[in-house]
Structure formats: C-alpha cells, structure tokens
Short mmCIF file of all heavy atoms in Angstrom, two decimals:
data_model
loop_
_atom_site.label_atom_id
_atom_site.label_comp_id
_atom_site.label_asym_id
_atom_site.label_seq_id
_atom_site.Cartn_x
_atom_site.Cartn_y
_atom_site.Cartn_z
N TRP A 1 16.62 74.58 -91.50
CA TRP A 1 16.07 73.73 -92.56
C TRP A 1 14.68 73.21 -92.17
O TRP A 1 13.76 73.15 -93.00
CB TRP A 1 17.03 72.57 -92.83
CG TRP A 1 16.51 71.56 -93.79
CD1 TRP A 1 16.41 70.21 -93.59
CD2 TRP A 1 16.00 71.77 -95.12
NE1 TRP A 1 15.88 69.60 -94.69
CE2 TRP A 1 15.61 70.52 -95.65
CE3 TRP A 1 15.81 72.89 -95.89
CZ2 TRP A 1 15.07 70.37 -96.91
CZ3 TRP A 1 15.25 72.75 -97.18
CH2 TRP A 1 14.89 71.51 -97.66
N GLY A 2 14.49 72.88 -90.90
CA GLY A 2 13.17 72.47 -90.42
C GLY A 2 12.15 73.59 -90.61
O GLY A 2 11.01 73.35 -91.00
N LYS A 3 12.54 74.82 -90.31
CA LYS A 3 11.66 75.98 -90.47
C LYS A 3 11.34 76.21 -91.96
O LYS A 3 10.20 76.55 -92.30
CB LYS A 3 12.27 77.22 -89.85
CG LYS A 3 12.28 77.18 -88.34
CD LYS A 3 12.78 78.50 -87.77
CE LYS A 3 12.59 78.55 -86.28
NZ LYS A 3 11.19 78.68 -85.86
N VAL A 4 12.33 76.00 -92.81
CA VAL A 4 12.09 76.15 -94.26
C VAL A 4 11.07 75.13 -94.72
O VAL A 4 10.15 75.43 -95.45
CB VAL A 4 13.41 76.01 -95.06
CG1 VAL A 4 13.17 75.88 -96.55
CG2 VAL A 4 14.36 77.18 -94.78
N GLN A 5 11.22 73.87 -94.26
CA GLN A 5 10.27 72.82 -94.65
C GLN A 5 8.85 73.11 -94.17
O GLN A 5 7.89 72.86 -94.91
CB GLN A 5 10.75 71.47 -94.13
CG GLN A 5 11.98 70.97 -94.86
CD GLN A 5 12.52 69.66 -94.28
OE1 GLN A 5 12.70 69.56 -93.08
NE2 GLN A 5 12.74 68.74 -95.18
N GLU A 6 8.73 73.67 -92.97
CA GLU A 6 7.40 74.08 -92.46
C GLU A 6 6.79 75.14 -93.39
O GLU A 6 5.60 75.09 -93.72
CB GLU A 6 7.53 74.63 -91.04
CG GLU A 6 7.77 73.61 -89.98
CD GLU A 6 8.04 74.25 -88.63
OE1 GLU A 6 7.61 75.41 -88.40
OE2 GLU A 6 8.67 73.59 -87.78
N PHE A 7 7.61 76.12 -93.76
CA PHE A 7 7.15 77.20 -94.65
C PHE A 7 6.71 76.62 -95.99
O PHE A 7 5.66 77.01 -96.53
CB PHE A 7 8.29 78.22 -94.87
CG PHE A 7 8.00 79.25 -95.93
CD1 PHE A 7 7.15 80.31 -95.65
CD2 PHE A 7 8.55 79.14 -97.17
CE1 PHE A 7 6.89 81.26 -96.62
CE2 PHE A 7 8.29 80.09 -98.16
CZ PHE A 7 7.47 81.15 -97.87
N TYR A 8 7.48 75.69 -96.54
CA TYR A 8 7.11 75.07 -97.81
C TYR A 8 5.75 74.42 -97.72
O TYR A 8 4.91 74.52 -98.63
CB TYR A 8 8.15 74.01 -98.21
CG TYR A 8 9.46 74.57 -98.76
CD1 TYR A 8 10.60 73.76 -98.80
CD2 TYR A 8 9.56 75.86 -99.27
CE1 TYR A 8 11.79 74.23 -99.30
CE2 TYR A 8 10.75 76.33 -99.77
CZ TYR A 8 11.88 75.51 -99.80
OH TYR A 8 13.04 75.97 -100.31
N LYS A 9 5.48 73.70 -96.63
CA LYS A 9 4.20 73.02 -96.45
C LYS A 9 3.04 74.04 -96.32
O LYS A 9 2.02 73.91 -96.98
CB LYS A 9 4.19 72.13 -95.21
CG LYS A 9 4.78 70.77 -95.43
CD LYS A 9 4.63 69.92 -94.18
CE LYS A 9 5.31 68.59 -94.36
NZ LYS A 9 5.29 67.80 -93.14
N GLU A 10 3.25 75.04 -95.46
CA GLU A 10 2.21 76.04 -95.19
C GLU A 10 1.84 76.82 -96.47
O GLU A 10 0.67 77.11 -96.69
CB GLU A 10 2.68 77.05 -94.14
CG GLU A 10 2.78 76.49 -92.75
CD GLU A 10 3.49 77.43 -91.80
OE1 GLU A 10 3.80 78.60 -92.19
OE2 GLU A 10 3.73 77.04 -90.66
N GLU A 11 2.84 77.14 -97.27
CA GLU A 11 2.61 77.99 -98.44
C GLU A 11 2.51 77.22 -99.75
O GLU A 11 2.39 77.83 -100.82
CB GLU A 11 3.75 79.02 -98.55
CG GLU A 11 3.90 79.93 -97.36
CD GLU A 11 2.68 80.82 -97.15
OE1 GLU A 11 2.10 81.29 -98.15
OE2 GLU A 11 2.32 81.05 -95.96
N SER A 12 2.58 75.91 -99.68
CA SER A 12 2.53 75.05 -100.89
C SER A 12 3.52 75.50 -101.95
O SER A 12 3.20 75.70 -103.11
CB SER A 12 1.13 75.01 -101.47
OG SER A 12 0.20 74.53 -100.53
N VAL A 13 4.77 75.65 -101.54
CA VAL A 13 5.83 76.15 -102.44
C VAL A 13 6.22 75.02 -103.41
O VAL A 13 6.42 73.88 -103.02
CB VAL A 13 7.05 76.60 -101.61
CG1 VAL A 13 8.22 76.97 -102.52
CG2 VAL A 13 6.67 77.77 -100.70
N GLN A 14 6.31 75.39 -104.68
CA GLN A 14 6.70 74.42 -105.73
C GLN A 14 8.21 74.28 -105.87
O GLN A 14 8.71 73.17 -105.98
CB GLN A 14 6.13 74.89 -107.08
CG GLN A 14 4.62 74.97 -107.10
CD GLN A 14 3.99 73.69 -107.57
OE1 GLN A 14 4.62 72.93 -108.27
NE2 GLN A 14 2.77 73.46 -107.18
N ASP A 15 8.89 75.40 -105.90
CA ASP A 15 10.35 75.43 -106.17
C ASP A 15 11.08 75.33 -104.86
O ASP A 15 11.45 76.31 -104.24
CB ASP A 15 10.73 76.67 -106.92
CG ASP A 15 10.02 76.78 -108.25
OD1 ASP A 15 10.13 75.83 -109.03
OD2 ASP A 15 9.32 77.78 -108.48
N ARG A 16 11.33 74.11 -104.41
CA ARG A 16 11.89 73.84 -103.08
C ARG A 16 13.37 73.46 -103.15
O ARG A 16 13.78 72.77 -104.09
CB ARG A 16 11.14 72.72 -102.40
CG ARG A 16 9.68 72.99 -102.21
CD ARG A 16 9.00 71.80 -101.59
NE ARG A 16 7.58 72.11 -101.35
CZ ARG A 16 6.81 71.51 -100.44
NH1 ARG A 16 7.36 70.58 -99.70
NH2 ARG A 16 5.57 71.84 -100.31
N LEU A 17 14.12 73.81 -102.12
CA LEU A 17 15.43 73.27 -101.91
C LEU A 17 15.29 71.82 -101.55
O LEU A 17 14.31 71.42 -100.90
CB LEU A 17 16.15 74.01 -100.78
CG LEU A 17 16.48 75.47 -100.97
CD1 LEU A 17 17.01 76.08 -99.66
CD2 LEU A 17 17.50 75.67 -102.07
N GLN A 18 16.26 71.00 -101.89
CA GLN A 18 16.24 69.60 -101.51
C GLN A 18 16.80 69.41 -100.08
O GLN A 18 16.45 68.48 -99.39
CB GLN A 18 17.05 68.76 -102.49
CG GLN A 18 16.50 68.77 -103.90
CD GLN A 18 15.05 68.38 -103.95
OE1 GLN A 18 14.68 67.32 -103.45
NE2 GLN A 18 14.20 69.21 -104.54
N ASN A 19 17.67 70.35 -99.70
CA ASN A 19 18.21 70.37 -98.33
C ASN A 19 18.83 71.75 -98.11
O ASN A 19 18.88 72.55 -99.05
CB ASN A 19 19.22 69.27 -98.09
CG ASN A 19 20.46 69.39 -98.96
OD1 ASN A 19 20.55 70.26 -99.82
ND2 ASN A 19 21.41 68.52 -98.77
N LEU A 20 19.28 72.02 -96.91
CA LEU A 20 19.95 73.27 -96.63
C LEU A 20 21.11 72.99 -95.71
O LEU A 20 20.93 72.50 -94.58
CB LEU A 20 18.99 74.26 -95.94
CG LEU A 20 19.56 75.65 -95.64
CD1 LEU A 20 19.94 76.37 -96.91
CD2 LEU A 20 18.57 76.46 -94.83
N THR A 21 22.30 73.24 -96.21
CA THR A 21 23.51 73.00 -95.44
C THR A 21 24.23 74.32 -95.25
O THR A 21 23.97 75.28 -95.95
CB THR A 21 24.45 72.01 -96.13
OG1 THR A 21 24.87 72.59 -97.39
CG2 THR A 21 23.77 70.68 -96.39
N LEU A 22 25.16 74.32 -94.33
CA LEU A 22 25.96 75.53 -94.05
C LEU A 22 26.74 75.97 -95.28
O LEU A 22 26.81 77.17 -95.57
CB LEU A 22 26.90 75.27 -92.88
CG LEU A 22 27.73 76.44 -92.37
CD1 LEU A 22 26.85 77.63 -92.01
CD2 LEU A 22 28.57 76.01 -91.21
N THR A 23 27.23 75.04 -96.06
CA THR A 23 27.99 75.41 -97.26
C THR A 23 27.11 75.97 -98.37
O THR A 23 27.61 76.59 -99.30
CB THR A 23 28.81 74.21 -97.80
OG1 THR A 23 27.94 73.14 -98.05
CG2 THR A 23 29.92 73.83 -96.84
N MET A 24 25.81 75.76 -98.26
CA MET A 24 24.90 76.37 -99.23
C MET A 24 24.69 77.86 -98.91
O MET A 24 24.25 78.62 -99.78
CB MET A 24 23.55 75.66 -99.26
CG MET A 24 23.61 74.27 -99.88
SD MET A 24 22.05 73.40 -99.73
CE MET A 24 21.01 74.31 -100.85
N LEU A 25 24.99 78.24 -97.67
CA LEU A 25 24.87 79.63 -97.27
C LEU A 25 26.21 80.36 -97.29
O LEU A 25 26.28 81.52 -97.62
CB LEU A 25 24.29 79.71 -95.86
CG LEU A 25 22.89 79.16 -95.65
CD1 LEU A 25 22.51 79.21 -94.17
CD2 LEU A 25 21.89 79.93 -96.48
N LYS A 26 27.26 79.65 -96.90
CA LYS A 26 28.58 80.29 -96.82
C LYS A 26 29.67 79.27 -97.13
O LYS A 26 29.77 78.25 -96.47
CB LYS A 26 28.78 80.84 -95.39
CG LYS A 26 30.18 81.33 -95.08
CD LYS A 26 30.28 82.79 -95.25
CE LYS A 26 31.63 83.35 -94.80
NZ LYS A 26 32.71 83.11 -95.68
N GLN A 27 30.42 79.55 -98.17
CA GLN A 27 31.54 78.70 -98.51
C GLN A 27 32.81 79.33 -97.93
O GLN A 27 32.89 80.56 -97.82
CB GLN A 27 31.66 78.53 -100.01
CG GLN A 27 30.48 77.74 -100.57
CD GLN A 27 30.62 77.41 -102.03
OE1 GLN A 27 31.45 77.99 -102.74
NE2 GLN A 27 29.82 76.48 -102.51
N PRO A 28 33.79 78.52 -97.58
CA PRO A 28 35.02 79.07 -96.99
C PRO A 28 35.67 80.14 -97.87
O PRO A 28 35.73 80.00 -99.11
CB PRO A 28 35.95 77.82 -96.87
CG PRO A 28 35.01 76.66 -96.91
CD PRO A 28 33.85 77.08 -97.74
N LYS A 29 36.09 81.20 -97.23
CA LYS A 29 36.79 82.31 -97.88
C LYS A 29 35.94 83.08 -98.90
O LYS A 29 36.47 83.71 -99.78
CB LYS A 29 38.10 81.85 -98.50
CG LYS A 29 39.08 81.26 -97.49
CD LYS A 29 40.39 80.85 -98.14
CE LYS A 29 41.29 80.26 -97.07
NZ LYS A 29 42.57 79.83 -97.63
N LYS A 30 34.63 82.92 -98.82
CA LYS A 30 33.73 83.64 -99.70
C LYS A 30 32.66 84.33 -98.87
O LYS A 30 32.38 83.91 -97.75
CB LYS A 30 33.05 82.70 -100.72
CG LYS A 30 34.00 82.14 -101.75
CD LYS A 30 33.22 81.38 -102.81
CE LYS A 30 34.14 80.89 -103.90
NZ LYS A 30 33.39 80.23 -104.97
N ALA A 31 32.07 85.34 -99.45
CA ALA A 31 30.96 86.04 -98.78
C ALA A 31 29.73 85.15 -98.77
O ALA A 31 29.58 84.30 -99.66
CB ALA A 31 30.66 87.36 -99.49
N PRO A 32 28.84 85.31 -97.79
CA PRO A 32 27.63 84.52 -97.78
C PRO A 32 26.80 84.71 -99.05
O PRO A 32 26.69 85.83 -99.57
CB PRO A 32 26.85 85.03 -96.57
CG PRO A 32 27.89 85.61 -95.67
CD PRO A 32 28.93 86.18 -96.62
N LYS A 33 26.25 83.64 -99.55
CA LYS A 33 25.39 83.68 -100.74
C LYS A 33 24.65 82.35 -100.76
O LYS A 33 25.27 81.30 -100.65
CB LYS A 33 26.22 83.85 -102.01
CG LYS A 33 25.37 83.87 -103.26
CD LYS A 33 26.21 84.12 -104.51
CE LYS A 33 25.31 84.24 -105.71
NZ LYS A 33 25.63 85.38 -106.53
N LEU A 34 23.33 82.42 -100.91
CA LEU A 34 22.57 81.18 -101.01
C LEU A 34 22.84 80.50 -102.32
O LEU A 34 22.64 81.08 -103.39
CB LEU A 34 21.07 81.46 -100.87
CG LEU A 34 20.12 80.25 -100.98
CD1 LEU A 34 20.40 79.23 -99.89
CD2 LEU A 34 18.70 80.67 -100.97
N ARG A 35 23.32 79.29 -102.29
CA ARG A 35 23.58 78.50 -103.49
C ARG A 35 22.31 77.74 -103.82
O ARG A 35 22.00 76.73 -103.21
CB ARG A 35 24.75 77.54 -103.27
CG ARG A 35 26.07 78.10 -102.79
CD ARG A 35 26.60 79.16 -103.72
NE ARG A 35 27.98 79.53 -103.38
CZ ARG A 35 28.36 80.70 -102.91
NH1 ARG A 35 27.45 81.63 -102.67
NH2 ARG A 35 29.60 80.98 -102.69
N ALA A 36 21.55 78.29 -104.76
CA ALA A 36 20.28 77.67 -105.15
C ALA A 36 19.89 78.21 -106.52
O ALA A 36 20.48 79.15 -107.04
CB ALA A 36 19.20 78.04 -104.14
N SER A 37 18.89 77.60 -107.13
CA SER A 37 18.41 78.08 -108.42
C SER A 37 17.67 79.40 -108.22
O SER A 37 17.28 79.76 -107.09
CB SER A 37 17.45 77.06 -109.04
OG SER A 37 16.21 77.07 -108.38
N ALA A 38 17.44 80.10 -109.31
CA ALA A 38 16.73 81.38 -109.25
C ALA A 38 15.35 81.19 -108.66
O ALA A 38 14.90 81.97 -107.81
CB ALA A 38 16.65 81.99 -110.65
N ALA A 39 14.62 80.17 -109.08
CA ALA A 39 13.29 79.92 -108.58
C ALA A 39 13.28 79.59 -107.10
O ALA A 39 12.40 80.02 -106.34
CB ALA A 39 12.62 78.81 -109.38
N GLN A 40 14.27 78.83 -106.66
CA GLN A 40 14.36 78.48 -105.25
C GLN A 40 14.66 79.71 -104.40
O GLN A 40 14.10 79.88 -103.31
CB GLN A 40 15.44 77.42 -105.02
CG GLN A 40 15.06 76.08 -105.61
CD GLN A 40 16.23 75.11 -105.70
OE1 GLN A 40 17.40 75.51 -105.72
NE2 GLN A 40 15.92 73.82 -105.74
N CYS A 41 15.52 80.59 -104.90
CA CYS A 41 15.81 81.85 -104.18
C CYS A 41 14.55 82.70 -104.09
O CYS A 41 14.21 83.21 -103.03
CB CYS A 41 16.92 82.64 -104.88
SG CYS A 41 18.56 82.01 -104.65
N ARG A 42 13.89 82.87 -105.20
CA ARG A 42 12.67 83.69 -105.27
C ARG A 42 11.63 83.16 -104.27
O ARG A 42 10.97 83.95 -103.61
CB ARG A 42 12.13 83.62 -106.71
CG ARG A 42 11.14 84.64 -107.06
CD ARG A 42 10.78 84.66 -108.56
NE ARG A 42 10.89 83.41 -109.29
CZ ARG A 42 11.84 83.12 -110.17
NH1 ARG A 42 12.77 84.00 -110.49
NH2 ARG A 42 11.84 81.95 -110.81
N ALA A 43 11.50 81.86 -104.16
CA ALA A 43 10.52 81.28 -103.26
C ALA A 43 10.88 81.48 -101.79
O ALA A 43 9.98 81.46 -100.93
CB ALA A 43 10.38 79.79 -103.55
N LEU A 44 12.14 81.69 -101.48
CA LEU A 44 12.57 81.84 -100.09
C LEU A 44 12.53 83.28 -99.59
O LEU A 44 12.68 83.54 -98.39
CB LEU A 44 13.97 81.27 -99.90
CG LEU A 44 14.03 79.76 -99.78
CD1 LEU A 44 15.48 79.28 -99.72
CD2 LEU A 44 13.27 79.26 -98.58
#
C-alpha cells in the first residue's frame, strides 16, 4: 500500500484506492481479484 501511494504521488493518479487490504486482493475461498472500481484498476 505504501508503494501504491508513492506511485500515485509520482504519477499524479486521479482514480485512487482509498486503502489496500488483503481482502481487497483475495477473499477466503475465492480466486485472487482486485476489488476496486474499473478506473482504479485501470490506474494500477
């Protein structure tokens, strides 16, 4: 999450995640998938 925030600052990203938690990447008994809006995914 710290690295993501550095990237956001360096690149002046508009569509930012508010935070990044483990459950946003992988929910129990499910395949990994970033839980975010389309614009936030595109920006990452």
Side-chain angles (χ1 to χ4, degrees):
W1 174 234
K3 289 186 170 289
V4 169
Q5 289 177 310
E6 287 173 22
F7 172 78
Y8 284 162
K9 277 186 184 175
E10 290 170 7
E11 301 296 323
S12 301
V13 174
Q14 298 270 335
D15 301 305
R16 300 177 178 205
L17 294 172
Q18 298 305 308
N19 64 355
L20 182 64
T21 63
L22 184 55
T23 56
M24 288 174 70
L25 298 175
K26 170 98 174 75
Q27 293 186 344
K29 299 182 182 180
K30 290 188 177 183
K33 179 177 185 132
L34 177 63
R35 305 301 191 248
S37 73
Q40 292 167 336
C41 283
R42 196 172 29 252
L44 282 175

